[in-house]
Amino acid sequence: GASIRRVREVLECDQSIEGLGNISTVGYPLARGISLRQVSFSYVRERPALDDVSLEICHGDCVALVGPSGSGKSTIARLLVRVADPALGQILLDGRPITEYSLAAIRTAVSYVPQKPVLFDGTVRENLLYGKPTATPVELQSVVVAAQLMPVLARFSKGLEAHIGPSGHRLSGGEAQRLAIARALLRDASVLILDESTSALDLPTERAVFEAIGRRRSASIVIVISHRLTSLTWVNRIVVMNRGRIVAAGNHDLLYAQFPQYRQLYDTDQRSAIN
Ligand code: ATP
């Protein structure tokens, strides 16, 4: 998954985001979902990071993007938050080209959780409320439970009022990731993208977080980018990428039975989970 550093790199080197539109709000939920239509994108000329990718994601869908490192998963996320635009093809958000929305509208509607979360020097509560300043205590409690933050809070005598230190350095990597996920859930954005955002969690905790997200009655589209295929049984659809292309899509059982490439990725992951 992309670290925020890589996102910044793209932001800083790429001044090509033009044609920012003026539609100032994105539907919640997205009545017509997200469409990628024959999307291609290259960071470096002649080396496509995405090559003719078409993908429909409907309202309420939970989709996982899997595939080897460098296959283009995070690039899809970057195009959806509009850090860059496709060289070819089109992305539609709720039936309208993504270029017709203002950047603020997109960044509000799409909640992107990177592998290394950005936290600030403040309390757990302040970091959570950054996602939604008007959140009620009930809403806070619900995301704390869903993101498996309860055991983290129990570690601090002050609970939600505990200070996490500059950049959240009092938290372990996995604790910081859980806080970032809770904050993103609180926002109830139209699209939630988890880009390797559970990579530092142990398997049972990751599974618990995912199960809670799957159970939440949320109107968000959820896109999960993950190396760990074992934890992805809860999603509606798994999209397998390789070298910038979608090579297979379906649920786990179908992919495992019919696509050797997926079976290989899954079995490798299973073995590393056991070892
Ligand atoms: P990983 O699982 O390792 O994060 P990924 O599937 O998310 O991989 P991407 O990050 O989308 O893959 O990368 C797709 C391709 O684009 C790779 O070949 C990668 O080397 C290249 N790439 C990614 N970011 C940049 C960048 N900022 N500049 C140049 N090339 C890049």
Side-chain angles (χ1 to χ4, degrees), residues 61-100:
D61 260 0
C62 293
V63 174
L65 302 180
V66 306
S69 185
S71 55
K73 307 178 297 288
S74 298
T75 302
I76 290 186
R78 284 180 213 137
L79 298 185
L80 290 177
V81 287
R82 247 195 125 199
V83 229
D85 280 332
L88 289 172
Q90 200 175 35
I91 297 178
L92 304 181
L93 211 55
D94 228 5
R96 321 254 341 166
I98 197 170
T99 47
E100 291 184 8

Side-chain angles (χ1 to χ4, degrees), residues 67-214:
S69 185
S71 55
K73 307 178 297 288
S74 298
T75 302
I76 290 186
R78 284 180 213 137
L79 298 185
L80 290 177
V81 287
R82 247 195 125 199
V83 229
D85 280 332
L88 289 172
Q90 200 175 35
I91 297 178
L92 304 181
L93 211 55
D94 228 5
R96 321 254 341 166
I98 197 170
T99 47
E100 291 184 8
Y101 294 90
S102 71
L103 207 50
I106 292 167
R107 302 278 160 84
T108 306
V110 184
S111 179
Y112 175 74
V113 186
Q115 187 169 11
K116 292 205 184 87
V118 179
L119 301 171
F120 59 86
D121 192 2
T123 64
V124 174
R125 183 194 299 279
E126 286 163 351
N127 273 276
L128 285 172
L129 287 178
Y130 182 76
K132 182 180 179 186
T134 57
T136 65
V138 173
E139 289 173 319
L140 270 184
Q141 179 65 16
S142 141
V143 297
V144 161
V145 171
Q148 309 299 310
L149 264 183
M150 291 301 275
V152 181
L153 294 181
R155 194 162 80 69
F156 299 109
S157 58
K158 288 186 180 169
L160 279 173
E161 313 313 325
H163 279 265
I164 62 169
S167 310
H169 77 71
R170 283 196 200 120
L171 302 178
S172 71
E175 290 173 342
Q177 286 186 334
R178 282 182 265 177
L179 178 49
I181 290 170
R183 180 170 69 186
L185 290 176
L186 197 59
R187 279 179 53 186
D188 261 334
S190 306
V191 184
L192 171 64
I193 304 178
L194 303 176
D195 191 352
E196 303 284 355
S197 20
T198 51
S199 60
L201 304 188
D202 57 47
L203 267 180
T205 309
E206 176 179 63
R207 206 161 284 166
V209 169
F210 282 159
E211 275 169 13
I213 292 175

Side-chain angles (χ1 to χ4, degrees), residues 50-66:
L50 291 179
D51 183 7
D52 200 22
V53 167
S54 294
L55 182 64
E56 297 285 328
I57 307 176
C58 301
H59 160 223
D61 260 0
C62 293
V63 174
L65 302 180
V66 306

